Amino acid sequence: SSELTQDPAVSVALGQTVRITCQGDSLRSYYASWYQQKPGQAPVLVIYGKNNRPSGIPDRFSGSSSGNTASLTITGAQAEDEADYYCNSRDSSGNLWVFGGGTKLTVL
Amino acid sequence: QVTLKESGPVLVKPTETLTLTCTVSGFSLSNARMGVSWIRQPPGKALEWLAHIFSNDEKSYSTSLKSRLTISKDTSKSQVVLTMTNMDPVDTATYYCARIRSYYDSSGYYVRLFDYWGQGTLVTVSS
């Protein structure tokens, strides 16, 4: 399969922990990357590889993976974390790329 | 400082060919561990990968759009060009270029990711 599946929407109370998941067969072979996209802006990389954060990304963002599921966890969600989150990986062939459908995170 | 900037027409007519240019700075298109990809996003919808190219001229295309896409690069100008033929209103989207970084992690896995993105350019297809 060349698809990545995400829940369309997730909500979290301010300061609480939220997990956003991404499922797909390719995740058994390849790491997922996670991107945050706010309205009118380009996506920003927040997690890549096993569990790496680019410079400038707060340490409340973390990533994990098990089997065909990758997860992005925000520990102590802040109002500024409200955004769309997309997972991405190479497809099962390794030659192409696939994105998840995105998860809209609402911070209550 | 790594930057990518997309340029091209904001409006194209149905059946026309779209040509987009991604001008990069802060890295070289001849770097073996770097590549550039094109990704698009229709208004209100998800990201969709289109194509990529690497320094060794390795190219790949979205299976669904392969017949319409061509990607190329001019290393001396630090530019990557995407052409898409036979444009249709459903191709209306923001088109992004993104840098691909490749590396081996501590476990020996070969990792590729989109680490820097351009600001995107909105292309509308309408007569």
Side-chain angles (χ1 to χ4, degrees):
Chain A
S1 170
S2 60
E3 294 182 349
L4 295 178
T5 301
Q6 297 181 241
D7 290 328
V10 171
S11 61
V12 61
L14 184 67
Q16 296 304 299
T17 296
V18 62
R19 175 176 293 181
I20 298 170
T21 61
C22 173
Q23 288 188 305
D25 287 344
S26 63
L27 299 179
R28 297 184 186 277
S29 303
Y30 302 105
Y31 291 125
S33 297
W34 289 92
Y35 303 88
Q36 177 193 69
Q37 187 180 35
K38 296 182 178 179
Q41 297 184 18
V44 172
L45 177 69
V46 294
I47 291 289
Y48 67 96
K50 192 170 185 178
N51 179 18
N52 300 295
R53 283 175 290 105
S55 174
I57 300 301
D59 61 5
R60 63 179 178 270
F61 289 88
S62 63
S64 62
S65 183
S66 179
N68 73 336
T69 302
S71 300
L72 172 70
T73 299
I74 306 174
T75 303
Q78 302 299 303
E80 60 263 33
D81 299 334
E82 189 163 286
D84 294 328
Y85 290 85
Y86 292 92
C87 61
N88 159 255
S89 82
R90 287 187 274 170
D91 78 339
S92 298
S93 75
N95 297 319
L96 310 181
W97 300 81
V98 61
F99 283 92
T103 296
K104 182 176 181 60
L105 176 67
T106 300
V107 180
L108 304 172
Chain B
Q1 179 188 5
V2 173
T3 64
L4 302 95
K5 185 172 178 63
E6 306 88 352
S7 59
V10 297
L11 179 67
V12 297
K13 292 181 168 54
T15 76
E16 289 186 339
T17 294
L18 172 68
T19 299
L20 294 172
T21 300
C22 176
T23 303
V24 309
S25 64
F27 71 100
S28 172
L29 295 176
S30 63
N31 188 317
R33 292 179 296 171
M34 305 294 177
V36 172
S37 197
W38 284 95
I39 296 150
R40 72 178 180 180
Q41 185 173 37
K45 296 189 177 181
L47 299 166
E48 178 185 18
W49 176 75
L50 299 177
H52 75 218
I53 189 167
F54 284 89
S55 59
N56 61 357
D57 222 36
E58 170 199 333
K59 303 170 188 176
S60 286
Y61 298 98
S62 163
T63 302
S64 61
L65 294 168
K66 186 173 184 176
S67 64
R68 300 173 54 205
L69 296 173
T70 303
I71 193 169
S72 62
K73 63 179 173 66
D74 185 330
T75 302
S76 65
K77 292 183 178 179
S78 295
Q79 291 180 333
V80 174
V81 175
L82 181 77
T83 63
M84 181 181 290
T85 61
N86 193 25
M87 293 292 285
D88 183 272
V90 300
D91 297 312
T92 293
T94 296
Y95 287 76
Y96 296 99
C97 58
R99 187 179 81 165
I100 304 170
R101 180 164 73 94
S102 306
Y103 70 97
Y104 285 96
D105 73 359
S106 58
S107 301
Y109 284 100
Y110 187 55
V111 182
R112 281 182 167 177
L113 63 140
F114 304 122
D115 62 348
Y116 288 92
W117 296 60
Q119 64 190 21
T121 184
L122 175 61
V123 178
T124 300
V125 184
S126 174
S127 55

Coordinates of all heavy atoms in Angstrom, one line a residue, chain A residues 16-87:
Chain A
Q16 N -2.2 19.7 28.2 CA -2.3 18.3 28.2 C -1.5 17.7 27.1 O -1.0 18.4 26.2 CB -3.8 17.8 28.1 CG -4.6 18.3 29.3 CD -4.0 17.8 30.6 OE1 -3.9 16.6 30.9 NE2 -3.6 18.8 31.5
T17 N -1.5 16.3 27.1 CA -0.7 15.6 26.1 C -1.6 15.0 25.0 O -2.7 14.5 25.3 CB 0.1 14.5 26.8 OG1 1.0 15.0 27.7 CG2 0.8 13.6 25.8
V18 N -1.2 15.1 23.8 CA -1.9 14.6 22.7 C -1.0 13.8 21.8 O 0.2 14.1 21.6 CB -2.6 15.7 21.9 CG1 -1.6 16.7 21.3 CG2 -3.5 15.2 20.8
R19 N -1.6 12.7 21.2 CA -0.9 11.8 20.3 C -1.6 11.8 19.0 O -2.8 11.6 18.9 CB -0.7 10.4 20.8 CG -0.1 9.5 19.8 CD 0.1 8.1 20.4 NE 1.1 8.1 21.5 CZ 1.5 7.0 22.2 NH1 1.0 5.9 21.9 NH2 2.4 7.1 23.1
I20 N -0.9 12.1 17.9 CA -1.4 12.1 16.6 C -0.8 10.9 15.8 O 0.5 10.8 15.9 CB -1.1 13.4 15.8 CG1 -1.7 14.6 16.5 CG2 -1.5 13.3 14.4 CD1 -1.3 15.9 16.0
T21 N -1.6 10.1 15.2 CA -1.1 8.8 14.7 C -1.2 8.8 13.1 O -2.0 9.5 12.5 CB -1.8 7.6 15.2 OG1 -3.2 7.7 14.9 CG2 -1.6 7.5 16.7
C22 N -0.3 7.9 12.6 CA -0.2 7.8 11.1 C 0.0 6.3 10.8 O 0.9 5.7 11.4 CB 0.9 8.7 10.6 SG 1.4 8.5 8.9
Q23 N -0.9 5.8 10.0 CA -0.8 4.3 9.7 C -0.5 4.1 8.2 O -1.1 4.7 7.4 CB -2.0 3.6 10.1 CG -2.3 3.5 11.6 CD -3.4 2.6 11.9 OE1 -4.6 2.8 11.5 NE2 -3.2 1.6 12.7
G24 N 0.4 3.1 8.0 CA 0.6 2.7 6.6 C 1.7 1.6 6.5 O 2.6 1.6 7.4
D25 N 1.6 0.8 5.5 CA 2.5 -0.3 5.3 C 3.9 0.1 5.2 O 4.9 -0.5 5.7 CB 2.1 -1.2 4.1 CG 0.8 -2.0 4.4 OD1 0.4 -2.1 5.6 OD2 0.2 -2.4 3.4
S26 N 4.1 1.3 4.5 CA 5.5 1.7 4.3 C 6.2 2.1 5.6 O 7.4 2.1 5.6 CB 5.5 3.0 3.4 OG 4.8 4.0 4.0
L27 N 5.4 2.3 6.6 CA 6.1 2.7 7.9 C 6.7 1.5 8.6 O 7.5 1.7 9.6 CB 5.0 3.3 8.9 CG 4.4 4.6 8.3 CD1 3.3 5.1 9.3 CD2 5.4 5.7 8.1
R28 N 6.5 0.3 8.1 CA 7.2 -0.8 8.6 C 8.7 -0.8 8.1 O 9.6 -1.5 8.7 CB 6.6 -2.1 8.1 CG 5.2 -2.3 8.6 CD 4.6 -3.7 8.2 NE 3.2 -3.9 8.6 CZ 2.8 -4.2 9.8 NH1 3.7 -4.5 10.7 NH2 1.5 -4.4 10.0
S29 N 8.9 0.0 7.0 CA 10.3 0.0 6.4 C 11.0 1.4 6.5 O 12.2 1.4 6.5 CB 10.2 -0.4 4.9 OG 9.6 -1.6 4.7
Y30 N 10.2 2.4 6.6 CA 10.7 3.8 6.6 C 10.2 4.6 7.7 O 9.0 4.5 8.1 CB 10.4 4.4 5.2 CG 10.9 3.7 4.0 CD1 10.1 2.9 3.2 CD2 12.3 3.7 3.7 CE1 10.6 2.2 2.2 CE2 12.8 3.0 2.7 CZ 11.9 2.2 1.9 OH 12.4 1.5 0.8
Y31 N 11.0 5.5 8.2 CA 10.6 6.4 9.2 C 9.6 7.4 8.7 O 9.7 7.8 7.5 CB 11.8 7.2 9.8 CG 12.8 6.5 10.6 CD1 14.1 6.5 10.2 CD2 12.4 5.8 11.7 CE1 15.1 5.8 11.0 CE2 13.4 5.1 12.5 CZ 14.7 5.1 12.1 OH 15.6 4.4 12.9
A32 N 8.7 7.9 9.5 CA 7.8 9.0 9.2 C 8.5 10.3 9.5 O 9.3 10.4 10.5 CB 6.5 8.9 9.9
S33 N 8.2 11.3 8.8 CA 8.5 12.7 9.1 C 7.2 13.4 9.4 O 6.2 13.0 8.9 CB 9.3 13.4 8.0 OG 10.5 12.8 7.7
W34 N 7.3 14.4 10.3 CA 6.0 15.1 10.7 C 6.2 16.6 10.4 O 7.3 17.1 10.7 CB 5.7 14.9 12.2 CG 5.3 13.5 12.5 CD1 6.1 12.5 12.9 CD2 3.9 13.0 12.5 NE1 5.3 11.3 13.1 CE2 4.0 11.7 12.9 CE3 2.7 13.6 12.2 CZ2 2.8 10.9 13.0 CZ3 1.6 12.8 12.3 CH2 1.6 11.5 12.7
Y35 N 5.2 17.2 9.9 CA 5.2 18.6 9.5 C 4.0 19.3 10.1 O 2.9 18.7 10.1 CB 5.1 18.7 7.9 CG 6.3 18.0 7.3 CD1 6.1 16.6 6.9 CD2 7.5 18.6 7.0 CE1 7.2 15.9 6.4 CE2 8.5 17.9 6.5 CZ 8.4 16.6 6.1 OH 9.4 15.9 5.6
Q36 N 4.3 20.5 10.6 CA 3.2 21.3 11.1 C 2.9 22.4 10.1 O 3.9 23.0 9.6 CB 3.8 22.0 12.4 CG 2.8 23.0 13.1 CD 3.5 23.8 14.1 OE1 4.4 24.6 13.9 NE2 3.1 23.6 15.4
Q37 N 1.7 22.6 9.9 CA 1.3 23.7 8.9 C 0.2 24.6 9.5 O -0.9 24.1 9.8 CB 0.8 23.1 7.6 CG 0.6 24.2 6.5 CD 0.1 23.6 5.2 OE1 -0.6 22.6 5.2 NE2 0.5 24.2 4.1
K38 N 0.5 25.8 9.7 CA -0.5 26.8 10.1 C -1.1 27.5 8.9 O -0.5 27.5 7.8 CB 0.2 27.8 11.1 CG 0.7 27.1 12.3 CD 1.4 28.1 13.3 CE 1.8 27.3 14.6 NZ 2.5 28.2 15.6
P39 N -2.3 28.1 9.1 CA -3.0 28.6 8.0 C -2.2 29.7 7.2 O -1.6 30.5 7.8 CB -4.2 29.3 8.6 CG -4.5 28.5 9.8 CD -3.1 28.1 10.3
G40 N -2.2 29.5 5.9 CA -1.4 30.4 5.0 C 0.1 30.3 5.0 O 0.8 31.1 4.4
Q41 N 0.6 29.3 5.7 CA 2.0 29.1 5.8 C 2.5 27.8 5.2 O 1.7 26.9 5.0 CB 2.5 29.2 7.3 CG 2.2 30.5 7.9 CD 2.7 30.5 9.4 OE1 3.6 29.7 9.8 NE2 2.2 31.4 10.1
A42 N 3.7 27.7 4.9 CA 4.3 26.5 4.4 C 4.5 25.5 5.5 O 4.6 25.9 6.7 CB 5.7 26.7 3.7
P43 N 4.5 24.2 5.2 CA 4.8 23.2 6.3 C 6.1 23.4 6.9 O 7.1 23.9 6.2 CB 4.7 21.9 5.5 CG 3.8 22.2 4.3 CD 4.2 23.6 3.9
V44 N 6.2 23.0 8.1 CA 7.5 23.1 8.9 C 7.8 21.7 9.5 O 6.9 21.1 10.1 CB 7.4 24.2 10.0 CG1 8.7 24.1 10.9 CG2 7.2 25.6 9.4
L45 N 9.0 21.3 9.3 CA 9.4 20.0 9.8 C 9.5 20.0 11.3 O 10.1 20.9 11.8 CB 10.8 19.6 9.2 CG 11.4 18.3 9.7 CD1 10.6 17.1 9.2 CD2 12.9 18.2 9.2
V46 N 8.8 19.1 12.0 CA 8.9 19.1 13.5 C 9.6 17.8 14.0 O 10.2 17.9 15.1 CB 7.5 19.3 14.1 CG1 7.0 20.7 13.8 CG2 6.5 18.2 13.7
I47 N 9.4 16.7 13.3 CA 10.0 15.4 13.8 C 10.5 14.7 12.5 O 9.8 14.6 11.5 CB 9.1 14.6 14.6 CG1 8.8 15.2 15.9 CG2 9.6 13.1 14.8 CD1 9.9 15.2 16.9
Y48 N 11.7 14.0 12.6 CA 12.2 13.2 11.6 C 13.0 12.1 12.1 O 13.5 12.1 13.3 CB 12.9 14.0 10.5 CG 14.2 14.6 11.1 CD1 15.4 13.9 10.8 CD2 14.3 15.8 11.8 CE1 16.6 14.4 11.3 CE2 15.4 16.3 12.2 CZ 16.6 15.6 12.0 OH 17.8 16.2 12.5
G49 N 13.2 11.1 11.3 CA 14.0 9.9 11.7 C 13.4 9.2 12.9 O 12.2 9.2 13.0
K50 N 14.3 8.6 13.7 CA 13.8 7.8 14.8 C 13.0 8.7 15.8 O 11.9 8.3 16.2 CB 14.9 7.1 15.5 CG 14.4 6.0 16.5 CD 15.6 5.2 17.0 CE 15.1 4.1 17.9 NZ 16.2 3.2 18.4
N51 N 13.5 9.8 16.1 CA 12.9 10.8 17.0 C 13.8 12.0 17.1 O 14.4 12.2 18.1 CB 12.6 10.2 18.4 CG 11.9 11.2 19.3 OD1 11.3 12.2 18.9 ND2 11.9 10.9 20.6
N52 N 13.9 12.7 16.0 CA 14.7 13.9 16.0 C 14.0 15.2 15.7 O 13.0 15.2 15.0 CB 15.8 13.7 14.8 CG 16.6 12.5 15.0 OD1 17.4 12.4 16.0 ND2 16.5 11.5 14.1
R53 N 14.4 16.2 16.4 CA 13.7 17.5 16.2 C 14.7 18.5 15.6 O 15.9 18.6 16.0 CB 13.3 18.1 17.6 CG 12.1 17.5 18.2 CD 11.8 18.1 19.6 NE 12.7 17.6 20.6 CZ 13.7 18.3 21.1 NH1 13.9 19.6 20.7 NH2 14.6 17.8 22.0
P54 N 14.3 19.2 14.6 CA 15.2 20.2 14.0 C 15.4 21.3 15.0 O 14.6 21.5 16.0 CB 14.4 20.8 12.8 CG 13.3 19.7 12.5 CD 13.0 19.1 13.8
S55 N 16.5 22.1 14.8 CA 16.8 23.2 15.7 C 15.6 24.1 15.7 O 15.0 24.4 14.7 CB 18.0 23.9 15.2 OG 18.2 25.1 15.9
G56 N 15.2 24.5 16.9 CA 14.1 25.5 17.1 C 12.8 24.9 17.4 O 11.8 25.6 17.7
I57 N 12.7 23.6 17.3 CA 11.4 22.9 17.6 C 11.4 22.5 19.0 O 12.3 21.9 19.5 CB 11.2 21.6 16.7 CG1 11.2 22.0 15.2 CG2 9.9 20.9 17.1 CD1 10.1 23.0 14.8
P58 N 10.4 22.9 19.8 CA 10.4 22.7 21.2 C 10.4 21.2 21.6 O 9.9 20.4 20.8 CB 9.0 23.3 21.7 CG 8.7 24.3 20.6 CD 9.2 23.7 19.3
D59 N 11.0 20.9 22.7 CA 11.1 19.5 23.1 C 9.8 18.8 23.6 O 9.8 17.7 23.9 CB 12.2 19.3 24.1 CG 11.9 20.0 25.4 OD1 10.8 20.6 25.6 OD2 12.8 20.0 26.3
R60 N 8.7 19.6 23.6 CA 7.4 19.0 23.8 C 7.0 18.1 22.7 O 6.0 17.3 22.8 CB 6.4 20.0 24.2 CG 6.0 21.0 23.1 CD 5.0 22.0 23.6 NE 4.6 23.0 22.6 CZ 5.2 24.2 22.6 NH1 6.2 24.4 23.4 NH2 4.9 25.0 21.6
F61 N 7.6 18.3 21.5 CA 7.3 17.4 20.3 C 8.2 16.2 20.4 O 9.4 16.3 20.5 CB 7.5 18.2 19.0 CG 6.5 19.3 18.8 CD1 6.7 20.6 19.3 CD2 5.4 19.0 18.1 CE1 5.8 21.6 19.1 CE2 4.4 20.0 17.8 CZ 4.6 21.3 18.4
S62 N 7.6 15.0 20.2 CA 8.4 13.8 20.1 C 7.7 12.8 19.1 O 6.5 12.9 18.9 CB 8.6 13.2 21.5 OG 7.3 12.8 22.0
G63 N 8.5 11.9 18.6 CA 8.0 10.9 17.7 C 8.3 9.5 18.1 O 9.3 9.3 18.9
S64 N 7.5 8.6 17.7 CA 7.7 7.2 18.0 C 7.1 6.3 16.8 O 6.4 6.9 16.0 CB 7.1 6.8 19.3 OG 5.7 7.0 19.3
S65 N 7.4 5.1 16.9 CA 6.9 4.2 15.8 C 6.8 2.8 16.3 O 7.7 2.3 17.1 CB 7.8 4.3 14.6 OG 7.3 3.5 13.5
S66 N 5.8 2.1 15.9 CA 5.6 0.7 16.2 C 4.9 0.0 15.0 O 3.7 0.4 14.7 CB 4.9 0.5 17.5 OG 4.7 -0.9 17.8
G67 N 5.5 -1.0 14.4 CA 4.8 -1.7 13.3 C 4.5 -0.8 12.2 O 5.4 -0.1 11.7
N68 N 3.3 -0.7 11.8 CA 2.9 0.2 10.7 C 2.3 1.5 11.2 O 1.6 2.2 10.4 CB 1.8 -0.5 9.9 CG 0.4 -0.6 10.6 OD1 0.3 -0.5 11.8 ND2 -0.6 -0.7 9.8
T69 N 2.6 1.9 12.4 CA 2.0 3.1 13.0 C 3.1 4.0 13.5 O 4.0 3.6 14.3 CB 1.0 2.8 14.1 OG1 0.0 2.0 13.6 CG2 0.4 4.1 14.6
A70 N 3.1 5.3 13.1 CA 4.0 6.3 13.6 C 3.2 7.3 14.4 O 2.0 7.5 14.1 CB 4.7 7.0 12.5
S71 N 3.8 7.8 15.4 CA 3.0 8.8 16.3 C 3.8 10.0 16.5 O 5.0 10.0 16.7 CB 2.7 8.1 17.6 OG 1.9 6.9 17.5
L72 N 3.1 11.1 16.6 CA 3.6 12.4 17.0 C 3.0 12.7 18.3 O 1.7 12.8 18.4 CB 3.3 13.5 16.0 CG 3.7 14.9 16.4 CD1 5.2 15.1 16.4 CD2 3.1 15.9 15.4
T73 N 3.8 13.0 19.4 CA 3.2 13.3 20.7 C 3.6 14.7 21.0 O 4.8 15.1 20.9 CB 3.7 12.3 21.7 OG1 3.3 11.0 21.4 CG2 3.2 12.7 23.1
I74 N 2.7 15.5 21.5 CA 2.9 16.8 22.0 C 2.6 16.8 23.5 O 1.4 16.5 23.9 CB 2.1 17.9 21.3 CG1 2.2 17.8 19.8 CG2 2.5 19.3 21.8 CD1 1.3 18.7 19.0
T75 N 3.6 16.9 24.3 CA 3.5 16.8 25.8 C 3.4 18.2 26.4 O 4.3 19.0 26.4 CB 4.7 16.1 26.4 OG1 4.8 14.8 25.8 CG2 4.5 15.9 27.9
G76 N 2.2 18.6 26.8 CA 2.0 19.9 27.3 C 1.6 20.9 26.2 O 2.4 21.8 25.9
A77 N 0.6 20.6 25.5 CA 0.2 21.3 24.3 C 0.0 22.8 24.6 O -0.6 23.1 25.6 CB -1.0 20.7 23.6
Q78 N 0.5 23.6 23.7 CA 0.3 25.1 23.8 C -0.6 25.6 22.7 O -0.8 25.0 21.7 CB 1.7 25.8 23.7 CG 2.7 25.3 24.7 CD 2.2 25.6 26.2 OE1 1.9 26.7 26.5 NE2 2.1 24.5 27.0
A79 N -1.1 26.8 23.0 CA -2.1 27.4 22.0 C -1.5 27.5 20.6 O -2.1 27.3 19.6 CB -2.6 28.7 22.5
E80 N -0.2 27.8 20.6 CA 0.5 27.9 19.3 C 0.7 26.6 18.6 O 1.2 26.6 17.4 CB 1.8 28.7 19.5 CG 2.8 27.9 20.4 CD 2.8 28.5 21.8 OE1 1.7 28.9 22.3 OE2 3.9 28.4 22.4
D81 N 0.4 25.5 19.2 CA 0.5 24.2 18.5 C -0.7 23.9 17.7 O -0.7 22.9 16.9 CB 0.7 23.1 19.5 CG 2.0 23.3 20.4 OD1 2.9 23.9 19.9 OD2 2.0 22.8 21.5
E82 N -1.7 24.7 17.8 CA -2.9 24.5 17.0 C -2.6 24.7 15.5 O -2.1 25.7 15.1 CB -4.0 25.5 17.4 CG -5.4 25.2 16.7 CD -6.5 25.9 17.4 OE1 -6.9 25.4 18.5 OE2 -7.0 26.9 16.9
A83 N -2.8 23.6 14.7 CA -2.3 23.6 13.3 C -2.7 22.3 12.7 O -3.3 21.4 13.4 CB -0.8 23.7 13.3
D84 N -2.4 22.2 11.4 CA -2.6 20.9 10.7 C -1.2 20.2 10.8 O -0.2 20.8 10.6 CB -3.0 21.1 9.3 CG -4.3 21.7 9.1 OD1 -5.2 21.4 9.9 OD2 -4.6 22.4 8.1
Y85 N -1.3 18.9 11.0 CA -0.1 18.0 11.1 C -0.1 16.9 10.0 O -1.1 16.2 9.9 CB 0.1 17.4 12.5 CG 0.4 18.5 13.5 CD1 -0.6 19.2 14.1 CD2 1.7 18.8 13.8 CE1 -0.3 20.2 15.1 CE2 2.0 19.8 14.8 CZ 1.0 20.5 15.4 OH 1.3 21.4 16.3
Y86 N 0.9 16.8 9.3 CA 1.0 15.8 8.2 C 2.2 14.9 8.5 O 3.3 15.3 8.8 CB 1.2 16.5 6.9 CG 0.1 17.3 6.4 CD1 0.0 18.7 6.6 CD2 -0.9 16.7 5.6 CE1 -1.1 19.4 6.2 CE2 -2.0 17.5 5.1 CZ -2.1 18.8 5.4 OH -3.2 19.5 5.0
C87 N 1.9 13.6 8.3 CA 3.0 12.6 8.3 C 3.4 12.4 6.8 O 2.6 12.6 5.9 CB 2.6 11.3 9.0 SG 1.2 10.4 8.2

